[in-house]
Amino acid sequence: MKKASIIMIIGALLLSGLFWFPLWNIMLGAPQYPEPLGIDIYIDGLAGQSEFDIQNIDGLNHYIGMKTLPKPEDMWEFQVFPIVIGIMTALGVLAGILGYFGKIGANWFLGWLILMTVLGILGMYDFNAWMIDYGTNLDPNAIMKLQNPDGTPMTYKPPLIGHKQLLNFDAYSYPRLGGYLMGVGMLLTLVAYLVGIKKKNKVPSS
Amino acid sequence: MKYKTIHKAAVFTLLAAWLFTGCGNQGKGDNAQGALVSSAAEKVYVAPGERDDYYAFLSGGYSGNLTVYGLPSGRMFKEIPVFSQFPTSGYGYSEETKPMLNTSHGFVPWDDLHHPDISQTNGELDGRWIFVNGNNTPRIARVSLSTFETEEIIEIPNSAGNHSSSFITENTEYVVAGTRFSVPVPQRDMPIDEYKGNFKGALTFIGVDPESGHMDIKFQVIMPGFNYDLSHPGRGKSHGWFFFSTYNTEEASTLLEVNASQNDKDFIAAINWKKIEEYIANGGGKTVPANYAHNVYDEATHTGTSTMKKEVLTVDPTEIPGAVYLLPTPKSPHGCDVDPSGQYIIGSGKLSADITVHSFDNMLKAIENEKFDGDAYGIPILKFEDVLAGTVKSGGLGPLHTEFDNQGNAYTTFFISSEVVKWELGSWEVVDRKPTFYSVGHLMIPGGNSRKPFGNYLVAMNKITKDRYLPTGPEMEHSAQIYDISGEKMELIYDFPTHGEPHYAAGCPADLIEPNSKKIYRLDENKHPFAVIGPDGAKVERDGNEVHVYMSTIRSHFTPDNIEGIKVGDKVYFHITNHEQDFDVPHGFSMIGQNTSEILIMPGQTKTSVWEPKQPGVWPFYCTDFCSALHQEMQGYVRVSPADSDIDLSWSVGE
């Protein structure tokens, strides 16, 4: 159980990488943008991949009537996400410590992972909902009002993950370092649970 | 299915292997093996989207500008306005850049730009600045190699025909400007035929601040009244010396083509500037009244300011023992070039078939032994035989300029016989010769005027074009040729027209300059007094009959774009700030009937254009640079009312 608890602590700590590194990234490349514009998504706000990318994406988006990209104060998520991640990191570390001293069993690790997974799915759902709003809730006086071949108004939601063609832009949406660290961390907590269970089955008294 | 994939992979691997070996056989300049001589087309072909290996900065001569090319493609990238008004960008027309062309003669809208030289550190190119000279109204300019804009121009007093310029010492301690005409110093009303013994030639040493690059005249050496044609710095062992070729040591003032060609030998003047520095440090030299302009462009305010300087320090070389010697050199030498080691000083007697090479070591020895052949106005003349290292029996006619490769070879242009001759330093043997088209003046090898030449390409710049291109009437652009010099024999690989008249050029590996090239000016660093920084800063202010419009631009509108309350007789200043912070998104501005050029405003920059409306009406303005899909909509109106109307100033956008 000690080994499992240490893995649990490491896994939970990897989550805190989100305070320093972006969770997600959306890149926008076009013929006239050979160096693509990029948005790094942090848990507490958006940042340009290069310094002026946010401003330049907003400048381009005004043609199709998209809202400007949110500042940290514009979305409650950017206040709540850091608190959630902070609490989950602390809970995970606490579970690991308690496990280390034999106060709790490995099932608590699984419990943490299930909670984190639920929160993660909620986060992704929220992120996707924001992108739908951002990409479809367009200014009716937009300079360019384009239609799909079937006559419906064209929308510009970036992909949740992967590639999508948006007019002349190729949009790519993928996790970044913070997101990968979170994934590895969550995987480690699963490993912690499995290791803990195995030990428990072998030495029931521990 | 699996088998198919493996099969495909194997075919692909084989194909890749073949492609790579195929490429290997076509390596550039590998013609020593002779197995596969790659074609000239391959050598100069830079595929779409690829970039050149070298920047080449060609002087524009009478265009007054500096042109930027790529090597080996010969593609032109930019024309940088330096000494001439340039309506393309508004240089010399905008309020911010007019001061750059101020001189002691007032606003001079043009000059004859001759010799570019890139800044050096330890005798090697450092790619920070390029210096150029204005030949007609003597000036030296410094161009930034991060913004590719003219940042500074300093006028040279006591000088006329600023030709043996603008060459730099090996740590860019000085940029040097020598006078082509000797003139009365100071200028005064006197008979022309009293030239001999009375006119003087000033050689000016301009200090360069190692951080900012700012120029300041440190001293002028007041030399005898010869004509100082070209110059180059010593380097390596001869660092601390500067060499100037002279003609008209006869001191003729009329029909020079005959009268200045009488002496069998003129001189190369060797100046020990370190000795002069010591002399000045010990209180030597004489500060005399002068009047010359010093124009500095500030990147933060995007504005040039012109200051008149009122004195200059002069030194009399005869009062500084050991500071100046004269090296006899045959036949009115033109080019005066120093090899990468600093040992050889090459004088090209332009009326001669031969090239004279002086030895720096021999010169020091002769000085030490005090073996003089008389003096000229008190300046010791060394004996020709004592300083001579060798003579290149070229077989050509009319040698002008010499550059060097990194293999111990020199390349000299021959104007009269229209050719480039490659010869070996030390043996003085001719290795190769190739024709040029036609009557070549200068040549350039990147770094060929430094301790570290890059011996891949040579560019010959010709004075006569004739039949090289489709004819364009009596006036044609000059032609240039690119030679591959990586092998034993030179190979002509390309021919391209140049703009203006290139007198010399400077080349530099792209990787020294490319990473520093600025993409935008930061709006948050814009210190222009009339800049509009925030989105709400746009306004219009009246001060008597002067109206200042604080205007901003972003794709694709002006703020404000409707202005009323302007009156006939007003002087309207449009101060336009480009709010873009995106690479290569300038906006332009032009107003109907404006008696000036348009302006192009780079991202983050502020520029000012003046309009003096003469008739009541509603007058439009628009953006001149195709900035976006809605560029054509980027336009606005100014309402002009009669002088006595009482319409208040108002402005708006989108109302």
Side-chain angles (χ1 to χ4, degrees), chain B residues 131-148:
Chain B
F131 296 88
V132 290
N133 57 315
N135 195 40
N136 180 52
T137 304
R139 286 175 278 179
I140 298 287
R142 181 176 55 83
V143 174
S144 159
L145 291 183
S146 76
T147 62
F148 290 68

mmCIF file with all atom_site columns, all heavy atoms in Angstrom, chain B residues 131-148:
data_model
loop_
_atom_site.group_PDB
_atom_site.id
_atom_site.type_symbol
_atom_site.label_atom_id
_atom_site.label_alt_id
_atom_site.label_comp_id
_atom_site.label_asym_id
_atom_site.label_entity_id
_atom_site.label_seq_id
_atom_site.pdbx_PDB_ins_code
_atom_site.Cartn_x
_atom_site.Cartn_y
_atom_site.Cartn_z
_atom_site.occupancy
_atom_site.B_iso_or_equiv
_atom_site.pdbx_formal_charge
_atom_site.auth_seq_id
_atom_site.auth_comp_id
_atom_site.auth_asym_id
_atom_site.auth_atom_id
_atom_site.pdbx_PDB_model_num
ATOM 1   N N   . PHE B 1 131 ? 26.195 51.000 -43.473 1.00 0.00 ? 131 PHE B N   1
ATOM 2   C CA  . PHE B 1 131 ? 26.512 52.416 -43.654 1.00 0.00 ? 131 PHE B CA  1
ATOM 3   C C   . PHE B 1 131 ? 26.614 52.700 -45.153 1.00 0.00 ? 131 PHE B C   1
ATOM 4   O O   . PHE B 1 131 ? 27.133 51.873 -45.904 1.00 0.00 ? 131 PHE B O   1
ATOM 5   C CB  . PHE B 1 131 ? 27.845 52.758 -42.976 1.00 0.00 ? 131 PHE B CB  1
ATOM 6   C CG  . PHE B 1 131 ? 27.800 52.593 -41.483 1.00 0.00 ? 131 PHE B CG  1
ATOM 7   C CD1 . PHE B 1 131 ? 28.093 51.377 -40.887 1.00 0.00 ? 131 PHE B CD1 1
ATOM 8   C CD2 . PHE B 1 131 ? 27.435 53.653 -40.663 1.00 0.00 ? 131 PHE B CD2 1
ATOM 9   C CE1 . PHE B 1 131 ? 28.041 51.214 -39.513 1.00 0.00 ? 131 PHE B CE1 1
ATOM 10  C CE2 . PHE B 1 131 ? 27.372 53.507 -39.284 1.00 0.00 ? 131 PHE B CE2 1
ATOM 11  C CZ  . PHE B 1 131 ? 27.676 52.284 -38.706 1.00 0.00 ? 131 PHE B CZ  1
ATOM 12  N N   . VAL B 1 132 ? 26.115 53.860 -45.551 1.00 0.00 ? 132 VAL B N   1
ATOM 13  C CA  . VAL B 1 132 ? 26.207 54.259 -46.959 1.00 0.00 ? 132 VAL B CA  1
ATOM 14  C C   . VAL B 1 132 ? 26.544 55.743 -47.039 1.00 0.00 ? 132 VAL B C   1
ATOM 15  O O   . VAL B 1 132 ? 26.292 56.495 -46.098 1.00 0.00 ? 132 VAL B O   1
ATOM 16  C CB  . VAL B 1 132 ? 24.879 53.995 -47.717 1.00 0.00 ? 132 VAL B CB  1
ATOM 17  C CG1 . VAL B 1 132 ? 24.631 52.506 -47.888 1.00 0.00 ? 132 VAL B CG1 1
ATOM 18  C CG2 . VAL B 1 132 ? 23.700 54.644 -47.012 1.00 0.00 ? 132 VAL B CG2 1
ATOM 19  N N   . ASN B 1 133 ? 27.131 56.143 -48.168 1.00 0.00 ? 133 ASN B N   1
ATOM 20  C CA  . ASN B 1 133 ? 27.511 57.546 -48.318 1.00 0.00 ? 133 ASN B CA  1
ATOM 21  C C   . ASN B 1 133 ? 26.680 58.230 -49.384 1.00 0.00 ? 133 ASN B C   1
ATOM 22  O O   . ASN B 1 133 ? 26.338 57.634 -50.405 1.00 0.00 ? 133 ASN B O   1
ATOM 23  C CB  . ASN B 1 133 ? 29.004 57.690 -48.655 1.00 0.00 ? 133 ASN B CB  1
ATOM 24  C CG  . ASN B 1 133 ? 29.397 56.935 -49.907 1.00 0.00 ? 133 ASN B CG  1
ATOM 25  O OD1 . ASN B 1 133 ? 28.996 55.788 -50.093 1.00 0.00 ? 133 ASN B OD1 1
ATOM 26  N ND2 . ASN B 1 133 ? 30.191 57.565 -50.761 1.00 0.00 ? 133 ASN B ND2 1
ATOM 27  N N   . GLY B 1 134 ? 26.357 59.486 -49.120 1.00 0.00 ? 134 GLY B N   1
ATOM 28  C CA  . GLY B 1 134 ? 25.784 60.364 -50.132 1.00 0.00 ? 134 GLY B CA  1
ATOM 29  C C   . GLY B 1 134 ? 26.942 61.110 -50.752 1.00 0.00 ? 134 GLY B C   1
ATOM 30  O O   . GLY B 1 134 ? 27.693 61.807 -50.069 1.00 0.00 ? 134 GLY B O   1
ATOM 31  N N   . ASN B 1 135 ? 27.092 60.990 -52.056 1.00 0.00 ? 135 ASN B N   1
ATOM 32  C CA  . ASN B 1 135 ? 28.281 61.495 -52.728 1.00 0.00 ? 135 ASN B CA  1
ATOM 33  C C   . ASN B 1 135 ? 28.184 62.992 -52.993 1.00 0.00 ? 135 ASN B C   1
ATOM 34  O O   . ASN B 1 135 ? 29.163 63.702 -52.924 1.00 0.00 ? 135 ASN B O   1
ATOM 35  C CB  . ASN B 1 135 ? 28.423 60.732 -54.060 1.00 0.00 ? 135 ASN B CB  1
ATOM 36  C CG  . ASN B 1 135 ? 29.777 60.885 -54.688 1.00 0.00 ? 135 ASN B CG  1
ATOM 37  O OD1 . ASN B 1 135 ? 30.788 60.870 -53.998 1.00 0.00 ? 135 ASN B OD1 1
ATOM 38  N ND2 . ASN B 1 135 ? 29.803 61.039 -55.990 1.00 0.00 ? 135 ASN B ND2 1
ATOM 39  N N   . ASN B 1 136 ? 26.988 63.478 -53.291 1.00 0.00 ? 136 ASN B N   1
ATOM 40  C CA  . ASN B 1 136 ? 26.858 64.833 -53.820 1.00 0.00 ? 136 ASN B CA  1
ATOM 41  C C   . ASN B 1 136 ? 26.891 65.889 -52.727 1.00 0.00 ? 136 ASN B C   1
ATOM 42  O O   . ASN B 1 136 ? 27.743 66.780 -52.745 1.00 0.00 ? 136 ASN B O   1
ATOM 43  C CB  . ASN B 1 136 ? 25.556 64.944 -54.622 1.00 0.00 ? 136 ASN B CB  1
ATOM 44  C CG  . ASN B 1 136 ? 25.372 66.334 -55.186 1.00 0.00 ? 136 ASN B CG  1
ATOM 45  O OD1 . ASN B 1 136 ? 26.277 66.843 -55.832 1.00 0.00 ? 136 ASN B OD1 1
ATOM 46  N ND2 . ASN B 1 136 ? 24.240 66.941 -54.935 1.00 0.00 ? 136 ASN B ND2 1
ATOM 47  N N   . THR B 1 137 ? 25.952 65.845 -51.822 1.00 0.00 ? 137 THR B N   1
ATOM 48  C CA  . THR B 1 137 ? 25.978 66.735 -50.654 1.00 0.00 ? 137 THR B CA  1
ATOM 49  C C   . THR B 1 137 ? 26.488 65.851 -49.530 1.00 0.00 ? 137 THR B C   1
ATOM 50  O O   . THR B 1 137 ? 25.740 65.021 -49.026 1.00 0.00 ? 137 THR B O   1
ATOM 51  C CB  . THR B 1 137 ? 24.569 67.272 -50.350 1.00 0.00 ? 137 THR B CB  1
ATOM 52  O OG1 . THR B 1 137 ? 24.067 67.911 -51.523 1.00 0.00 ? 137 THR B OG1 1
ATOM 53  C CG2 . THR B 1 137 ? 24.599 68.264 -49.209 1.00 0.00 ? 137 THR B CG2 1
ATOM 54  N N   . PRO B 1 138 ? 27.779 65.969 -49.165 1.00 0.00 ? 138 PRO B N   1
ATOM 55  C CA  . PRO B 1 138 ? 28.440 64.893 -48.413 1.00 0.00 ? 138 PRO B CA  1
ATOM 56  C C   . PRO B 1 138 ? 27.693 64.493 -47.141 1.00 0.00 ? 138 PRO B C   1
ATOM 57  O O   . PRO B 1 138 ? 27.473 65.300 -46.240 1.00 0.00 ? 138 PRO B O   1
ATOM 58  C CB  . PRO B 1 138 ? 29.805 65.490 -48.080 1.00 0.00 ? 138 PRO B CB  1
ATOM 59  C CG  . PRO B 1 138 ? 30.035 66.487 -49.155 1.00 0.00 ? 138 PRO B CG  1
ATOM 60  C CD  . PRO B 1 138 ? 28.679 67.075 -49.446 1.00 0.00 ? 138 PRO B CD  1
ATOM 61  N N   . ARG B 1 139 ? 27.282 63.251 -47.122 1.00 0.00 ? 139 ARG B N   1
ATOM 62  C CA  . ARG B 1 139 ? 26.550 62.718 -45.974 1.00 0.00 ? 139 ARG B CA  1
ATOM 63  C C   . ARG B 1 139 ? 26.887 61.239 -45.805 1.00 0.00 ? 139 ARG B C   1
ATOM 64  O O   . ARG B 1 139 ? 27.213 60.563 -46.768 1.00 0.00 ? 139 ARG B O   1
ATOM 65  C CB  . ARG B 1 139 ? 25.031 62.855 -46.203 1.00 0.00 ? 139 ARG B CB  1
ATOM 66  C CG  . ARG B 1 139 ? 24.528 64.267 -46.062 1.00 0.00 ? 139 ARG B CG  1
ATOM 67  C CD  . ARG B 1 139 ? 23.060 64.385 -46.401 1.00 0.00 ? 139 ARG B CD  1
ATOM 68  N NE  . ARG B 1 139 ? 22.840 64.480 -47.840 1.00 0.00 ? 139 ARG B NE  1
ATOM 69  C CZ  . ARG B 1 139 ? 21.635 64.582 -48.397 1.00 0.00 ? 139 ARG B CZ  1
ATOM 70  N NH1 . ARG B 1 139 ? 20.547 64.579 -47.648 1.00 0.00 ? 139 ARG B NH1 1
ATOM 71  N NH2 . ARG B 1 139 ? 21.503 64.673 -49.708 1.00 0.00 ? 139 ARG B NH2 1
ATOM 72  N N   . ILE B 1 140 ? 26.774 60.765 -44.577 1.00 0.00 ? 140 ILE B N   1
ATOM 73  C CA  . ILE B 1 140 ? 26.877 59.333 -44.292 1.00 0.00 ? 140 ILE B CA  1
ATOM 74  C C   . ILE B 1 140 ? 25.576 58.943 -43.598 1.00 0.00 ? 140 ILE B C   1
ATOM 75  O O   . ILE B 1 140 ? 25.113 59.645 -42.693 1.00 0.00 ? 140 ILE B O   1
ATOM 76  C CB  . ILE B 1 140 ? 28.063 59.017 -43.349 1.00 0.00 ? 140 ILE B CB  1
ATOM 77  C CG1 . ILE B 1 140 ? 29.396 59.420 -43.984 1.00 0.00 ? 140 ILE B CG1 1
ATOM 78  C CG2 . ILE B 1 140 ? 28.070 57.538 -42.950 1.00 0.00 ? 140 ILE B CG2 1
ATOM 79  C CD1 . ILE B 1 140 ? 29.879 58.543 -45.096 1.00 0.00 ? 140 ILE B CD1 1
ATOM 80  N N   . ALA B 1 141 ? 25.018 57.818 -44.017 1.00 0.00 ? 141 ALA B N   1
ATOM 81  C CA  . ALA B 1 141 ? 23.789 57.331 -43.393 1.00 0.00 ? 141 ALA B CA  1
ATOM 82  C C   . ALA B 1 141 ? 24.018 55.974 -42.764 1.00 0.00 ? 141 ALA B C   1
ATOM 83  O O   . ALA B 1 141 ? 24.860 55.196 -43.222 1.00 0.00 ? 141 ALA B O   1
ATOM 84  C CB  . ALA B 1 141 ? 22.663 57.240 -44.417 1.00 0.00 ? 141 ALA B CB  1
ATOM 85  N N   . ARG B 1 142 ? 23.272 55.729 -41.717 1.00 0.00 ? 142 ARG B N   1
ATOM 86  C CA  . ARG B 1 142 ? 23.283 54.406 -41.074 1.00 0.00 ? 142 ARG B CA  1
ATOM 87  C C   . ARG B 1 142 ? 21.879 53.820 -41.194 1.00 0.00 ? 142 ARG B C   1
ATOM 88  O O   . ARG B 1 142 ? 20.892 54.452 -40.805 1.00 0.00 ? 142 ARG B O   1
ATOM 89  C CB  . ARG B 1 142 ? 23.677 54.521 -39.605 1.00 0.00 ? 142 ARG B CB  1
ATOM 90  C CG  . ARG B 1 142 ? 23.725 53.184 -38.865 1.00 0.00 ? 142 ARG B CG  1
ATOM 91  C CD  . ARG B 1 142 ? 24.223 53.374 -37.435 1.00 0.00 ? 142 ARG B CD  1
ATOM 92  N NE  . ARG B 1 142 ? 23.433 54.355 -36.724 1.00 0.00 ? 142 ARG B NE  1
ATOM 93  C CZ  . ARG B 1 142 ? 22.268 54.077 -36.124 1.00 0.00 ? 142 ARG B CZ  1
ATOM 94  N NH1 . ARG B 1 142 ? 21.791 52.858 -36.122 1.00 0.00 ? 142 ARG B NH1 1
ATOM 95  N NH2 . ARG B 1 142 ? 21.602 55.037 -35.514 1.00 0.00 ? 142 ARG B NH2 1
ATOM 96  N N   . VAL B 1 143 ? 21.824 52.623 -41.742 1.00 0.00 ? 143 VAL B N   1
ATOM 97  C CA  . VAL B 1 143 ? 20.544 51.934 -41.938 1.00 0.00 ? 143 VAL B CA  1
ATOM 98  C C   . VAL B 1 143 ? 20.512 50.754 -40.975 1.00 0.00 ? 143 VAL B C   1
ATOM 99  O O   . VAL B 1 143 ? 21.472 49.983 -40.888 1.00 0.00 ? 143 VAL B O   1
ATOM 100 C CB  . VAL B 1 143 ? 20.405 51.453 -43.402 1.00 0.00 ? 143 VAL B CB  1
ATOM 101 C CG1 . VAL B 1 143 ? 19.144 50.617 -43.585 1.00 0.00 ? 143 VAL B CG1 1
ATOM 102 C CG2 . VAL B 1 143 ? 20.426 52.633 -44.362 1.00 0.00 ? 143 VAL B CG2 1
ATOM 103 N N   . SER B 1 144 ? 19.413 50.605 -40.262 1.00 0.00 ? 144 SER B N   1
ATOM 104 C CA  . SER B 1 144 ? 19.261 49.487 -39.329 1.00 0.00 ? 144 SER B CA  1
ATOM 105 C C   . SER B 1 144 ? 18.986 48.211 -40.113 1.00 0.00 ? 144 SER B C   1
ATOM 106 O O   . SER B 1 144 ? 18.181 48.199 -41.036 1.00 0.00 ? 144 SER B O   1
ATOM 107 C CB  . SER B 1 144 ? 18.097 49.771 -38.385 1.00 0.00 ? 144 SER B CB  1
ATOM 108 O OG  . SER B 1 144 ? 17.636 48.560 -37.823 1.00 0.00 ? 144 SER B OG  1
ATOM 109 N N   . LEU B 1 145 ? 19.633 47.116 -39.728 1.00 0.00 ? 145 LEU B N   1
ATOM 110 C CA  . LEU B 1 145 ? 19.342 45.838 -40.369 1.00 0.00 ? 145 LEU B CA  1
ATOM 111 C C   . LEU B 1 145 ? 18.342 45.021 -39.552 1.00 0.00 ? 145 LEU B C   1
ATOM 112 O O   . LEU B 1 145 ? 18.191 43.822 -39.776 1.00 0.00 ? 145 LEU B O   1
ATOM 113 C CB  . LEU B 1 145 ? 20.628 45.062 -40.636 1.00 0.00 ? 145 LEU B CB  1
ATOM 114 C CG  . LEU B 1 145 ? 21.505 45.700 -41.724 1.00 0.00 ? 145 LEU B CG  1
ATOM 115 C CD1 . LEU B 1 145 ? 22.741 44.863 -42.005 1.00 0.00 ? 145 LEU B CD1 1
ATOM 116 C CD2 . LEU B 1 145 ? 20.725 45.933 -43.014 1.00 0.00 ? 145 LEU B CD2 1
ATOM 117 N N   . SER B 1 146 ? 17.653 45.671 -38.596 1.00 0.00 ? 146 SER B N   1
ATOM 118 C CA  . SER B 1 146 ? 16.493 45.000 -38.013 1.00 0.00 ? 146 SER B CA  1
ATOM 119 C C   . SER B 1 146 ? 15.195 45.628 -38.526 1.00 0.00 ? 146 SER B C   1
ATOM 120 O O   . SER B 1 146 ? 14.227 44.939 -38.770 1.00 0.00 ? 146 SER B O   1
ATOM 121 C CB  . SER B 1 146 ? 16.543 44.995 -36.485 1.00 0.00 ? 146 SER B CB  1
ATOM 122 O OG  . SER B 1 146 ? 16.208 46.238 -35.961 1.00 0.00 ? 146 SER B OG  1
ATOM 123 N N   . THR B 1 147 ? 15.191 46.944 -38.749 1.00 0.00 ? 147 THR B N   1
ATOM 124 C CA  . THR B 1 147 ? 13.993 47.575 -39.321 1.00 0.00 ? 147 THR B CA  1
ATOM 125 C C   . THR B 1 147 ? 14.143 47.822 -40.821 1.00 0.00 ? 147 THR B C   1
ATOM 126 O O   . THR B 1 147 ? 13.157 48.098 -41.494 1.00 0.00 ? 147 THR B O   1
ATOM 127 C CB  . THR B 1 147 ? 13.696 48.935 -38.663 1.00 0.00 ? 147 THR B CB  1
ATOM 128 O OG1 . THR B 1 147 ? 14.804 49.812 -38.912 1.00 0.00 ? 147 THR B OG1 1
ATOM 129 C CG2 . THR B 1 147 ? 13.492 48.791 -37.162 1.00 0.00 ? 147 THR B CG2 1
ATOM 130 N N   . PHE B 1 148 ? 15.370 47.755 -41.330 1.00 0.00 ? 148 PHE B N   1
ATOM 131 C CA  . PHE B 1 148 ? 15.657 48.092 -42.732 1.00 0.00 ? 148 PHE B CA  1
ATOM 132 C C   . PHE B 1 148 ? 15.196 49.515 -43.049 1.00 0.00 ? 148 PHE B C   1
ATOM 133 O O   . PHE B 1 148 ? 14.660 49.798 -44.112 1.00 0.00 ? 148 PHE B O   1
ATOM 134 C CB  . PHE B 1 148 ? 15.038 47.070 -43.699 1.00 0.00 ? 148 PHE B CB  1
ATOM 135 C CG  . PHE B 1 148 ? 15.717 45.725 -43.661 1.00 0.00 ? 148 PHE B CG  1
ATOM 136 C CD1 . PHE B 1 148 ? 15.630 44.918 -42.547 1.00 0.00 ? 148 PHE B CD1 1
ATOM 137 C CD2 . PHE B 1 148 ? 16.465 45.284 -44.743 1.00 0.00 ? 148 PHE B CD2 1
ATOM 138 C CE1 . PHE B 1 148 ? 16.273 43.686 -42.496 1.00 0.00 ? 148 PHE B CE1 1
ATOM 139 C CE2 . PHE B 1 148 ? 17.119 44.054 -44.708 1.00 0.00 ? 148 PHE B CE2 1
ATOM 140 C CZ  . PHE B 1 148 ? 17.016 43.259 -43.587 1.00 0.00 ? 148 PHE B CZ  1
#
